[in-house]
Amino acid sequence: MRSHLVCLGCRHAFKKASPQPVPCPSCGEPMIDAGEQLAVPPRRDVDGWRALAVVLEAGLRFRPTCGCMPDGPGYRPRTLREVRERQEVAARTGRPLAEVLADPDPWSDERRD
């Protein structure tokens, strides 16, 4: 299966089936295997790329949760606002950032009080 390879510095992405690291054609840095189901932000969407960088640096990828069906990777923030809100929740609650970033409603436990 072909996966999206991204270079966060160049905001460059393409799909390729490669088990080995691939250098960015623009800068030569190793590209990140982001997964098969990434919706790549437009190159001019700087905030979208910053949000993507936080998600990828937290270790999340865009792979289906079930290998037999393309049911999606689950929730991933797409804007800097969503990322910042989740970073605040992670800092306040002590939950791991990757867990909070993948949670569509990270405030659900807090709102029950």
Side-chain angles (χ1 to χ4, degrees):
M1 183 169 270
R2 296 176 2 154
S3 187
H4 280 95
L5 301 175
V6 298
C7 177
L8 298 172
C10 298
R11 296 194 306 260
H12 187 80
F14 59 87
K15 283 186 108 172
K16 185 171 184 170
S18 175
Q20 299 172 1
V22 175
C24 173
S26 299
C27 69
E29 291 294 316
M31 297 187 81
I32 299 169
D33 181 353
E36 300 85 11
Q37 296 183 323
L38 170 65
V40 179
R43 204 174 241 182
R44 67 186 176 283
D45 182 3
V46 176
D47 286 348
W49 277 91
R50 287 182 182 157
L52 177 61
V54 172
V55 168
L56 293 176
E57 288 167 3
L60 297 174
R61 297 296 183 260
F62 296 81
R63 301 200 190 290
T65 55
C66 171
C68 62
M69 293 181 61
D71 60 350
Y75 176 81
R76 301 290 186 262
R78 295 182 68 129
T79 66
L80 275 181
R81 179 180 177 193
E82 292 173 336
V83 166
R84 284 188 200 112
E85 289 170 347
R86 282 157 178 76
Q87 287 172 326
E88 290 173 13
V89 170
R92 197 169 46 244
T93 63
R95 290 173 56 198
L97 179 59
E99 178 183 303
V100 178
L101 286 171
D103 192 344
D105 185 9
W107 306 275
S108 59
D109 291 336
E110 295 177 25
R111 291 182 177 174
R112 290 183 194 148
D113 297 342

